[in-house]
């Protein structure tokens, strides 16, 4: 039977731990940056490249996957949730009653 590379988004497990060092570096970076992935972009790219090199995912152009210089995130900041701390609740400011999806027409 002919075996094809997996589709995008479907990844076989790394049973032989071929990319475990890259994965650990990336996860450590995420943990250290409070899960802000834009700080760990290079580690993420290295991890995906390792997976492609070891045929754990199909070959893709990393630039098309969001790793081009144009897609680089600059000046990102974490939302401070000040409105929520002040008592804001999403949707609560709407005065009219909401209809269920099956009542809309």
């Amino acid at each position: 039977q002919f075996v094809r590379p997996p589709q995008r988004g479907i990844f076989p497990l790394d049973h032989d731990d071929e990319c475990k060092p890259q994965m650990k570096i990336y996860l450590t970076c995420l943990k250290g940056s409070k899960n802000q992935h834009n700080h760990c972009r290079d580690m993420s790219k290295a991890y995906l490249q390792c997976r492609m090199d070891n045929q754990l995912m199909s070959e893709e152009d990393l630039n098309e996957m969001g790793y081009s210089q144009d897609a680089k995130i600059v000046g990102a900041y974490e939302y401070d949730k000040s409105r929520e701390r002040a008592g804001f609740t999403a949707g609560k400011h709407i005065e009219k009653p909401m209809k269920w999806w099956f009542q809309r027409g």
Side-chain angles (χ1 to χ4, degrees), residues 18-74:
E18 296 167 295
C19 297
K20 194 167 189 172
Q22 289 87 348
M23 178 192 67
K24 283 190 171 194
I25 291 169
Y26 175 60
L27 292 176
T28 302
C29 177
L30 279 178
K31 194 173 191 179
S33 65
K34 298 181 182 177
N35 290 325
Q36 290 189 3
H37 64 89
N38 56 314
H39 296 292
C40 307
R41 176 184 169 93
D42 294 331
M43 290 69 135
S44 167
K45 186 176 180 179
Y47 174 63
L48 290 175
Q49 187 62 56
C50 176
R51 290 190 64 89
M52 285 189 274
D53 293 344
N54 290 294
Q55 298 177 349
L56 293 169
M57 66 181 278
S58 61
E59 284 286 331
E60 298 281 339
D61 182 10
L62 289 172
N63 290 332
E64 291 179 12
M65 293 176 72
Y67 291 98
S68 66
Q69 281 302 114
D70 296 338
K72 192 169 186 176
I73 299 171
V74 179

Side-chain angles (χ1 to χ4, degrees), residues 1-6 55:
Q1 185 178 13
F2 180 70
V3 178
R4 297 184 330 195
Q55 298 177 349

